[in-house]
């Protein structure tokens, strides 16, 4: 097997595994294990920028210095959890470097279709109601609908970037209708918006106008649906701090910070302990993730260092910096968290999509 086919196969294994959340081996899901396993098999860790190691060490030291114990028997409250997060990001960075360049697009296309088919079959078999209506809780092999919608959105966007035929266009339309209007996955629309920004960054100015008109028409249509009403309600909860878990709790905690901690943060890896101390956990919850990498970073390292990170991360993912690409990173990182392999895999897909956009005009659909 040649090098490109080998990397393509491992990339597909990564994308396949990240849809298996409900099956766990000890503390790690198959999604996490597959992500790490693929990165290890990719190898080439010696080629990674030397800068990531001192940054990782500083993050780990910050976690031990700022640690405020809440539940000594729970790994998530230990500074060692921050160590695992840093190691996970090294695996992500290695995957990111390995998929730069040319992969086997034909193999990727077949793999994408197989992943979509497997995902839909699992939803039909395990949670059939989720095929026809919005459901709470597990969807297929995912923990919840947001992850399922995000996954399907990312795979369908990857497909249309690899081959622009009517088959891929139809797949994108069908998947989009399913995740937006049946699953009602708010997380997925952020991904679609991010991918649109990637195209806007590369196409000509005249074609940006056409794309803007298309997006405006779609926005007006989506804005008139019940899906939009739900998302506006969630945004209202986020802004008012009335929600009790996840992003809503994170937004409330950040709003209570004084100026110094808002700018400089409370220490890497400190969010979960502060969250448990400041807001009582709902019954049955052992911990509560913030559900947003950006909100998590703002709390832990402050607004200043979060901005530095996001600018640098934009450069790392897309190999250049622009306002449009920065906005794309904001959208890609708003949902998820430091240990969210679904978000990290979505970033890998977005990176590869951006690599494939190498034209100034809209491509013809064959």
């Amino acid at each position: 097997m040649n090098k490109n086919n080998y990397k393509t196969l491992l990339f597909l294994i990564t994308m396949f595994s990240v849809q298996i959340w409900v099956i766990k081996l000890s503390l790690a899901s198959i999604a996490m294990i597959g992500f790490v396993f693929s990165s290890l098999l990719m190898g080439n860790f010696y080629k990674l920028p030397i800068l990531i190691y001192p940054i990782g060490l500083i993050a780990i030291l910050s976690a031990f210095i700022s640690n405020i114990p809440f539940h000594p028997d729970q790994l998530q409250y230990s500074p060692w959890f921050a160590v695992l997060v840093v190691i996970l990001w090294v695996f992500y960075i290695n995957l990111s470097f390995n998929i730069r360049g040319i992969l086997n697009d034909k193999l990727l296309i077949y793999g994408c279709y197989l992943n979509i088919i497997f995902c839909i079959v699992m939803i039909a078999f395990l949670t059939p109601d989720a095929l026809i209506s919005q459901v709470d809780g597990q969807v297929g092999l995912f923990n919840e609908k947001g992850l399922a919608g995000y996954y399907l959105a990312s795979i369908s966007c990857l497909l249309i970037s690899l081959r622009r035929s009517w088959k891929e266009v139809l797949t994108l339309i069908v998947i989009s209708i399913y995740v937006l209007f049946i699953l009602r996955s708010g997380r997925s629309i952020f991904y679609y918006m991010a991918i649109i920004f990637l195209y806007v960054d590369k196409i000509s100015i005249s074609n940006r106008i056409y794309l803007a008109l298309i997006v405006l028409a779609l926005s007006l249509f989506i804005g008139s649906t019940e899906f939009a009403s739900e998302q506006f309600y969630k945004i209202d909860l986020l802004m008012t701090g009335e929600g009790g878990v996840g992003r809503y709790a994170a937004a409330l905690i950040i709003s209570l910070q004084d100026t110094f901690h808002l700018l400089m943060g409370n220490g890497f890896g400190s969010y979960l302990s502060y969250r448990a101390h400041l807001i009582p956990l709902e019954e049955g919850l052992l911990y509560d993730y913030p559900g947003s990498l950006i909100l998590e970073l703002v709390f832990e390292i402050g607004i200043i260092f979060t901005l530095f990170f996001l600018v640098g991360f934009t450069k790392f993912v897309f190999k250049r910096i622009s306002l449009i690409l920065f906005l794309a990173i904001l959208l890609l990182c708003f949902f998820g968290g430091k240990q969210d392999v679904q978000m990290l895999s979505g970033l890998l897909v977005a990176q590869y999509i951006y690599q494939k956009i190498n034209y100034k005009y809209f491509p013809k659909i064959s």
Side-chain angles (χ1 to χ4, degrees):
M1 183 182 295
N2 66 45
K3 187 177 181 180
N4 287 343
N5 288 346
Y6 179 72
K7 288 185 175 183
T8 303
L9 186 59
L10 288 177
F11 182 48
L12 287 171
I13 290 174
T14 304
M15 298 310 299
F16 176 80
S17 63
V18 295
Q19 62 180 298
I20 308 176
W21 284 74
V22 297
I23 302 175
K24 293 189 175 183
L25 299 177
S26 187
L27 294 175
S29 66
I30 297 296
M32 180 75 72
I33 293 171
F35 189 89
V36 171
F37 179 73
S38 297
S39 184
L40 286 171
L41 289 181
M42 286 275 194
N44 298 321
F45 285 90
Y46 67 93
K47 294 182 179 180
L48 299 184
I50 193 68
L51 187 62
I52 69 170
Y53 297 107
I55 292 176
L57 181 60
I58 292 171
I60 290 171
L61 290 175
S62 173
F64 278 91
I65 292 171
S66 62
N67 181 52
I68 51 168
F70 176 75
H71 195 306
D73 297 326
Q74 195 70 39
L75 175 64
Q76 283 78 2
Y77 294 111
S78 166
W80 290 104
F81 187 67
V83 175
L84 295 178
V85 167
V86 170
I87 294 173
L88 176 65
W89 273 75
V90 173
F91 287 133
Y92 158 72
I93 292 170
N94 187 57
L95 282 170
S96 175
F97 269 96
N98 272 284
I99 67 169
R100 296 182 182 193
I102 300 173
L103 297 181
N104 187 328
D105 287 353
K106 186 175 181 180
L107 184 57
L108 269 181
I109 290 169
Y110 289 134
C112 286
Y113 277 117
L114 286 176
N115 280 337
I116 289 174
I117 291 170
F118 179 80
C119 180
I120 297 298
V121 168
M122 287 297 100
I123 293 175
F125 180 71
L126 298 174
T127 54
D129 289 346
L131 282 178
I132 57 175
S133 63
Q134 179 186 13
V135 297
D136 294 322
Q138 181 179 340
V139 174
L141 291 170
F142 296 92
N143 291 336
E144 48 95 15
K145 64 177 184 177
L147 292 174
Y150 189 87
Y151 178 80
L152 288 170
S154 64
I155 297 295
S156 60
C157 287
L158 177 58
L159 260 178
I160 198 71
S161 73
L162 294 170
R163 186 174 67 190
R164 289 165 290 277
S165 72
W166 286 109
K167 186 190 299 183
E168 282 70 46
V169 172
L170 183 60
T171 300
L172 178 63
I173 292 172
V174 171
I175 292 295
S176 300
I177 291 172
Y178 175 65
V179 300
L180 294 178
F181 302 116
I182 297 180
L183 282 183
R184 296 181 184 175
S185 168
R187 185 170 178 166
S188 62
I189 200 166
F190 274 61
Y191 198 85
Y192 287 130
M193 290 168 62
I195 299 304
I196 288 172
F197 278 129
L198 300 188
Y199 278 88
V200 168
D201 187 69
K202 281 199 172 181
I203 62 177
S204 64
I205 294 177
S206 60
N207 281 307
R208 289 179 187 179
I209 297 173
Y210 295 129
L211 183 59
L213 292 174
I214 294 172
V215 171
L216 177 61
L218 290 173
S219 299
L220 291 174
F221 170 70
I222 294 174
S224 64
T225 65
E226 188 175 344
F227 169 78
S229 300
E230 289 183 2
Q231 305 316 308
F232 287 133
Y233 174 70
K234 290 179 181 179
I235 292 172
D236 183 61
L237 284 179
L238 191 66
M239 299 302 293
T240 58
E242 295 180 3
V245 296
R247 286 176 291 278
Y248 311 114
L252 176 59
I253 291 173
I254 289 172
S255 70
L256 299 175
Q257 297 295 294
D258 58 44
T259 303
F260 175 81
H261 287 97
L262 192 60
L263 293 176
M264 305 303 295
N266 294 275
F268 185 79
S270 63
Y271 176 81
L272 290 179
S273 292
Y274 275 95
R275 160 69 179 88
H277 277 290
L278 295 174
I279 304 177
L281 293 169
E282 292 187 356
E283 187 176 354
L285 277 181
L286 295 176
Y287 48 85
D288 181 30
Y289 289 127
S292 169
L293 178 62
I294 293 176
L295 294 179
E296 188 173 11
L297 290 178
V298 166
F299 180 85
E300 293 185 352
I301 64 176
I303 292 176
I304 295 174
F305 291 108
T306 297
L307 286 174
F308 276 120
F309 168 79
L310 291 172
V311 170
F313 194 47
T314 302
K315 171 69 172 178
F316 168 76
V317 174
F318 303 119
K319 297 199 287 188
R320 59 184 296 268
I321 299 174
S322 71
L323 178 59
I324 294 173
L325 292 178
F326 179 75
L327 292 174
I329 282 292
L330 288 179
L331 292 167
L332 291 166
C333 293
F334 183 77
F335 289 87
K338 298 193 302 290
Q339 71 292 329
D340 187 347
V341 293
Q342 188 73 76
M343 179 200 73
L344 295 176
S345 66
L347 283 163
L348 292 173
V349 171
Q351 172 189 317
Y352 194 73
I353 289 174
Y354 189 69
Q355 291 176 199
K356 300 300 294 182
I357 308 172
N358 56 5
Y359 41 77
K360 294 292 183 181
Y361 304 98
F362 282 135
K364 294 181 180 179
I365 298 173
S366 57

